[in-house]
Amino acid sequence: MNTKSYFFQSFAIVALAFIAFIGFKQILPDKIFSDSKIDSKNILIDSLLLESVANDSLSADEDSISEEEKRDAGENIVFDESEGIEFPSETFEDYKGFQYLISFYEKLYQLEKNPQAKVRIAYYGDSMTDGDLIVQDVRMKYQERFGGTGVGFVSIISESSASRGSVKTLFSKNWKTQSYLNVKRPTSPFGVNGHVFFANDRANTTWVQYEAGLNKFSTALDNPTLFYGRGSKKGNVNFIIGKDTLRKSLVPNNLVNTLKVTSGSIKSFKANFIKADSIPVYGFNFDNGSGVHVDNFSQRGNSGLPISTFNAGVMQAFNNNLKYDLIVLHYGTNVLNYGTKNYSWYQRGMTKTINKIKESFPGVSILIVSTADKSTKYDLEMKTDSAVVPLMRAQKRYALDTESGFVNLYTLMGGDGSMVKWVDESPARANKDYTHFNQRGAKAIGNLLYSQLNKGYEEYKILREKRERGEGSRPVRKTKTDSVSVKKDSIDE
C-alpha cells in the first residue's frame, strides 16, 4: 500500500470514529456529556479547591449526608439578643440570619439619618459576578436609595476588563500579576482584591488607563486613589488627565499606602509607572466619599477557599482606609462538579475562610450567597444537577455555624428546574451553559438579592424603634426541645 492510499484510509477511519462518537453521544445516559460550550482557555480552578477535593471529598459516605439533612430539617434557630434587638426565630429550611447583619443594618440606619455618612460592601465572587454582573445592580439599588456615586475599588488588571461596562480599563501587557487563585507565596502580600501587580519592565512603560462607564451613578471617576504596598525603594507615577500630566512619587513605607490622583470627579486618566518595579500595586478606588459603595472582587474559577490565605495585617490596613461594613461571599459554581454530594470538606474550608475574614475585618457583617440552580443532562433531559441542593445545604450550614447571613439563591430564583426555565424562556435570562446568567438575568438576581437584604433592614428598623420605645424586640420567647440558641458575642459599631 502506498503512502497516499494509507493516508486516505487512516483519514476515513478517523472520520467514521467521529461520526460514531456523535451518534452514541445522543443515546448515552446521565451525566456523561453536557450541552455546555466550554472555552477552555478561560477555565481557571483555584489550587486550594483541587487540594481539598483530593484530600477530603471522598472521605465520607452519603449516609452521613442524609442523617445531617434529617437533623437540619427539625432544627429551630433562636437568636440571642444583640444590641437590644432580637429577630424572630427561624427554621433551618428558611434560614436568612438577619440577626447577624445588625451592625450592617445599623450603619444603613445612620446613613439614612446623615447622608454624609458612608457604608461600604466588599462583594467576593466567581464567574457569576464577572464583568460586574449582579454586583453592579446591587450597587445601583443601594446608591439609588442611600446615595453615593462611583464603582469602588478596581484592580489594575482583570480578565473581565473588556466586558465590564461600569468602568472601562485598558492596560499594557507587561504587568506582572500574582493571584491568590494559584500562588501560595506571593512576592508581596495579596491586596484586598486577591491580587498583587508589579510594573517590573524597566525597558518599557507599564501603564493602566481608566474611563468612566455609562452605568447610573458611575458616569465619573470619583476621587481616584491609588492603593499600593510596601517596597524596597521609591518610584514614580505620571497621571495623564486630558492634556495635563501630574508627576507624583510613590513612597512605599507602609503595608498599604494610598496616593490621590486628584480631588473631585474626572472622566478618564492614564497612569504611567516609572522605576516602580519593586513596589506592589493593587488598584484604584473610585467613590465620592458618602453614601453606599460596593467593591466587586470577582475571580473566575474561584471557590472562595483562597481568601483563607489573606494576610490579616495587610487586610486590616486596607480596612483602615476602606472601612467595610458588609462582606459578601458568593461562590459555588466551581465546586459542583467533583463527583460527590458530601460537601463537608468544603464546609470546613469555608469556615476557615470566614474565620480569616473575621480576623482581617473585625466586627464586619458577613453574608453568604449560595449556589444558584445549575442544570445537567440526565436521560436526554436537562434537570437540576444532583449536587446543587447538597452544596446549598452545606453553604447554609457554614453560614449558620459562623454566624453569617444567608441568601438561598437556589430557592430565590425558583428552586428545582428553575435554570432550565431561565434559559428557555423568551427573552432568556441565562446562557445555554445552564450555569451562568446573562445581563438580563444578572439584573434580576441583583434585584432579588437587594430585596432580601432590604427586607431584613426594614424588619431591623421596626425592631429598633420598639427598642427605643422600651418595648423590647420580642416579648415572649417560645422554648422548644429541639431549638438551637445561637450566640453573638459582640457587635462592633
Side-chain angles (χ1 to χ4, degrees):
M1 183 182 295
N2 60 39
T3 303
K4 186 173 182 180
S5 61
Y6 179 80
F7 170 81
F8 283 111
Q9 183 179 12
S10 300
F11 180 83
I13 291 172
V14 171
L16 287 172
F18 178 78
I19 293 170
F21 172 81
I22 296 299
F24 278 118
K25 177 184 175 183
Q26 303 305 315
I27 61 174
L28 286 171
D30 294 327
K31 214 175 161 181
I32 298 176
F33 299 105
S34 168
D35 279 359
S36 304
K37 293 182 179 179
I38 301 175
D39 184 358
S40 60
K41 69 180 181 181
N42 289 325
I43 295 177
L44 296 169
I45 298 294
D46 68 69
S47 57
L48 278 180
L49 173 62
L50 295 178
E51 289 180 13
S52 296
V53 171
N55 293 335
D56 298 318
S57 65
L58 302 178
S59 62
D61 58 31
E62 294 199 13
D63 289 339
S64 63
I65 302 172
S66 61
E67 288 302 316
E68 182 177 279
E69 288 182 351
K70 289 176 184 177
R71 182 196 70 187
D72 291 343
E75 183 173 327
N76 190 58
I77 303 150
V78 179
F79 301 105
D80 281 353
E81 186 179 278
S82 177
E83 299 298 312
I85 291 174
E86 179 187 338
F87 275 87
S89 63
E90 297 182 301
T91 64
F92 182 82
E93 288 301 312
D94 296 324
Y95 175 69
K96 296 181 178 65
F98 293 145
Q99 182 76 28
Y100 304 125
L101 303 180
I102 283 179
S103 63
F104 169 61
Y105 288 150
E106 176 62 20
K107 289 294 184 67
L108 288 178
Y109 185 85
Q110 295 300 328
L111 178 57
E112 272 200 300
K113 301 296 182 183
N114 175 20
Q116 298 306 308
K118 186 175 179 179
V119 171
R120 195 172 200 100
I121 301 170
Y123 200 119
Y124 289 90
D126 50 28
S127 55
M128 282 293 190
T129 56
D130 196 45
D132 216 17
L133 290 178
I134 298 176
V135 182
Q136 64 186 356
D137 299 297
V138 173
R139 182 187 301 116
M140 282 190 284
K141 294 293 284 187
Y142 271 110
Q143 291 181 336
E144 188 172 51
R145 176 169 179 183
F146 295 94
T149 60
V151 296
F153 195 99
V154 179
S155 293
I156 294 290
I157 291 176
S158 169
E159 65 267 18
S160 65
S161 294
S163 62
R164 181 170 181 173
S166 54
V167 63
K168 300 174 184 178
T169 308
L170 297 174
F171 48 85
S172 59
K173 303 301 181 183
N174 55 349
W175 283 97
K176 177 184 176 182
T177 304
Q178 292 187 314
S179 167
Y180 66 165
L181 202 70
N182 47 32
V183 176
K184 285 187 175 179
R185 297 174 181 84
T187 307
S188 293
F190 297 122
V192 69
N193 51 351
H195 293 75
V196 59
F197 307 95
F198 295 91
N200 66 339
D201 185 350
R202 287 204 164 203
N204 302 285
T205 300
T206 306
W207 58 270
V208 63
Q209 180 175 312
Y210 299 98
E211 181 181 346
L214 300 176
N215 285 16
K216 193 175 183 181
F217 310 117
S218 301
T219 56
L221 304 176
D222 299 288
N223 298 317
T225 303
L226 171 67
F227 280 68
Y228 62 102
R230 177 175 287 163
S232 59
K233 53 187 175 181
K234 295 181 181 180
N236 298 291
V237 58
N238 294 339
F239 297 114
I240 302 171
I241 306 171
K243 296 181 180 180
D244 299 324
T245 299
L246 305 176
R247 295 176 173 84
K248 299 194 177 186
S249 297
L250 299 171
V251 185
N253 293 336
N254 303 314
L255 281 176
V256 176
N257 308 275
T258 61
L259 177 62
K260 182 168 283 191
V261 179
T262 185
S263 297
S265 299
I266 56 178
K267 286 292 184 182
S268 64
F269 72 93
K270 183 177 182 179
N272 294 329
F273 289 80
I274 312 296
K275 295 181 180 178
D277 50 297
S278 69
I279 301 175
V281 182
Y282 299 118
F284 286 83
N285 179 54
F286 307 104
D287 74 60
N288 70 327
S290 62
V292 177
H293 302 284
V294 185
D295 301 337
N296 182 358
F297 298 133
S298 64
Q299 170 66 67
R300 296 175 190 171
N302 201 350
S303 67
L305 297 176
I307 294 175
S308 65
T309 66
F310 276 168
N311 180 301
V314 172
M315 293 305 108
Q316 289 167 15
F318 268 98
N319 199 38
N320 288 338
N321 285 281
L322 297 170
K323 296 179 172 50
Y324 288 105
D325 302 297
L326 176 67
I327 291 180
V328 181
L329 302 178
H330 184 165
Y331 294 107
T333 307
N334 303 292
V335 190
L336 285 168
N337 301 315
Y338 290 94
T340 178
K341 296 173 189 173
N342 188 325
Y343 287 99
S344 58
W345 56 275
Y346 185 61
Q347 184 177 321
R348 290 192 297 272
M350 286 303 291
T351 298
K352 180 181 177 182
T353 291
I354 294 168
N355 288 335
K356 175 55 70 74
I357 289 174
K358 290 182 176 183
E359 177 188 1
S360 302
F361 305 92
V364 70
S365 295
I366 299 171
L367 177 71
I368 308 301
V369 179
S370 83
T371 180
D373 188 31
K374 169 187 166 67
S375 296
T376 300
K377 183 177 283 187
Y378 295 98
D379 298 323
L380 305 182
E381 184 180 355
M382 298 302 293
K383 299 178 182 178
T384 290
D385 191 289
S386 60
V388 167
V389 171
L391 174 58
M392 176 273 289
R393 296 184 73 85
Q395 291 175 308
K396 189 187 298 186
R397 171 53 57 188
Y398 67 69
L400 176 59
D401 289 347
T402 59
E403 300 182 344
S404 303
F406 183 71
V407 173
N408 190 336
L409 193 53
Y410 167 70
T411 58
L412 207 59
M413 66 180 289
D416 185 60
S418 54
M419 182 56 77
V420 174
K421 295 177 183 177
W422 283 53
V423 171
D424 293 346
E425 67 187 7
S426 183
R429 290 189 288 176
N431 299 324
K432 287 291 186 180
D433 65 357
Y434 291 87
T435 301
H436 295 90
F437 303 105
N438 59 24
Q439 286 198 358
R440 184 179 294 104
K443 184 178 182 65
I445 292 297
N447 291 341
L448 288 170
L449 286 171
Y450 172 80
S451 293
Q452 178 169 319
L453 281 170
N454 190 59
K455 179 182 178 183
Y457 176 59
E458 296 299 335
E459 285 187 42
Y460 170 76
K461 288 202 297 184
I462 293 172
L463 293 171
R464 193 184 192 283
E465 289 166 3
K466 285 184 177 180
R467 183 193 68 184
E468 295 301 312
R469 294 195 300 265
E471 297 178 20
S473 56
R474 282 205 303 154
V476 178
R477 168 181 288 190
K478 296 180 180 179
T479 303
K480 294 187 179 181
T481 57
D482 60 348
S483 293
V484 175
S485 179
V486 188
K487 296 184 181 296
K488 182 74 171 176
D489 295 327
S490 65
I491 294 292
D492 186 350
E493 295 282 337

Short mmCIF file of all heavy atoms in Angstrom, two decimals, residues 47 169 178 272 416 455 458 460:
data_model
loop_
_atom_site.label_atom_id
_atom_site.label_comp_id
_atom_site.label_asym_id
_atom_site.label_seq_id
_atom_site.Cartn_x
_atom_site.Cartn_y
_atom_site.Cartn_z
N SER A 47 -6.14 26.41 43.23
CA SER A 47 -5.33 25.30 43.70
C SER A 47 -5.83 24.75 45.04
O SER A 47 -5.76 23.54 45.28
CB SER A 47 -3.86 25.72 43.82
OG SER A 47 -3.72 26.84 44.68
N THR A 169 -11.38 49.73 31.29
CA THR A 169 -9.98 49.64 31.66
C THR A 169 -9.14 49.15 30.48
O THR A 169 -9.48 48.16 29.84
CB THR A 169 -9.77 48.66 32.83
OG1 THR A 169 -10.65 49.00 33.90
CG2 THR A 169 -8.34 48.71 33.34
N GLN A 178 0.24 38.35 40.18
CA GLN A 178 0.14 37.17 41.02
C GLN A 178 -1.25 37.14 41.65
O GLN A 178 -1.74 38.16 42.14
CB GLN A 178 1.22 37.18 42.10
CG GLN A 178 2.62 37.00 41.54
CD GLN A 178 3.68 36.84 42.61
OE1 GLN A 178 3.71 37.58 43.58
NE2 GLN A 178 4.56 35.85 42.44
N ASN A 272 1.13 56.14 34.18
CA ASN A 272 2.39 55.54 33.75
C ASN A 272 3.29 55.34 34.95
O ASN A 272 3.62 56.31 35.65
CB ASN A 272 3.09 56.44 32.73
CG ASN A 272 2.33 56.56 31.43
OD1 ASN A 272 1.63 55.63 31.01
ND2 ASN A 272 2.45 57.70 30.77
N ASP A 416 -36.03 23.90 42.13
CA ASP A 416 -35.80 22.79 41.22
C ASP A 416 -36.26 23.12 39.80
O ASP A 416 -37.39 23.54 39.58
CB ASP A 416 -36.54 21.55 41.73
CG ASP A 416 -36.23 20.33 40.89
OD1 ASP A 416 -35.05 19.94 40.81
OD2 ASP A 416 -37.17 19.78 40.28
N LYS A 455 -35.41 43.64 52.97
CA LYS A 455 -36.47 43.13 53.85
C LYS A 455 -35.94 43.02 55.28
O LYS A 455 -36.62 43.40 56.25
CB LYS A 455 -36.96 41.77 53.37
CG LYS A 455 -38.05 41.17 54.25
CD LYS A 455 -38.47 39.79 53.75
CE LYS A 455 -39.53 39.19 54.68
NZ LYS A 455 -39.92 37.81 54.26
N GLU A 458 -35.67 46.55 56.77
CA GLU A 458 -36.96 47.11 57.18
C GLU A 458 -37.43 46.47 58.49
O GLU A 458 -37.99 47.14 59.36
CB GLU A 458 -38.00 46.92 56.08
CG GLU A 458 -37.70 47.68 54.79
CD GLU A 458 -37.63 49.19 54.98
OE1 GLU A 458 -38.24 49.71 55.94
OE2 GLU A 458 -36.93 49.86 54.19
N TYR A 460 -35.39 45.31 60.74
CA TYR A 460 -34.48 45.86 61.73
C TYR A 460 -34.98 47.21 62.23
O TYR A 460 -34.96 47.49 63.43
CB TYR A 460 -33.07 45.99 61.15
CG TYR A 460 -32.14 46.77 62.05
CD1 TYR A 460 -31.60 46.19 63.19
CD2 TYR A 460 -31.80 48.09 61.76
CE1 TYR A 460 -30.75 46.90 64.03
CE2 TYR A 460 -30.95 48.81 62.59
CZ TYR A 460 -30.44 48.21 63.73
OH TYR A 460 -29.61 48.92 64.56
#
